[in-house]
Amino acid sequence: MPPLKITDVKVILTQPANDHLVIVKVMTNEPGLYGVGCATHREPPLAVAAAIEHYLKPFVTGRNCDEIEDIWQSAYVASYFRSGVTLTMH
């Protein structure tokens, strides 16, 4: 089988019960296989969404899904705002 790769990252802004949330859906090259997670915990939702769309999405698209530790470490170290809330808390 070919390696499982990240093909797209979708950002979903929602506000259940007055709580702003940024949901992230990570698409793969395997039809129907994707991951979902929450990218916020009281951070400004539009800042988080912009960071995902403009920084993390291009960074992870095309990467192998099984390289999760390398992806996390690389994103953490390469971040302009290293150890900052918006890009490294989640």
Side-chain angles (χ1 to χ4, degrees), residues 11 17 30-31 33 35 43 50 52 58 67 71 75 83-84 87:
V11 175
E30 180 69 31
L33 183 61
E43 295 84 18
I52 293 166
E67 297 174 351
I71 292 169
S83 299
L87 293 179

Side-chain angles (χ1 to χ4, degrees), residues 7-85:
T7 58
D8 195 12
V9 177
K10 298 184 182 298
V11 175
I12 304 161
L13 296 169
T14 185
Q15 187 179 359
N18 234 6
D19 193 16
H20 296 277
L21 297 176
V22 179
I23 306 301
V24 179
K25 185 174 183 180
V26 180
M27 310 301 291
T28 71
N29 60 336
E30 180 69 31
L33 183 61
Y34 58 87
V36 178
C38 184
T40 50
H41 185 311
R42 304 286 186 220
E43 295 84 18
L46 295 178
V48 174
I52 293 166
E53 282 286 339
H54 300 290
Y55 174 72
L56 291 174
K57 179 179 178 173
F59 182 74
V60 301
T61 300
R63 301 282 304 258
N64 288 343
C65 294
D66 62 351
E67 297 174 351
I68 189 65
E69 182 66 21
D70 183 59
I71 292 169
W72 189 92
Q73 292 289 342
S74 298
Y76 184 80
V77 172
S79 171
Y80 180 79
F81 298 104
R82 193 172 323 165
S83 299
V85 170

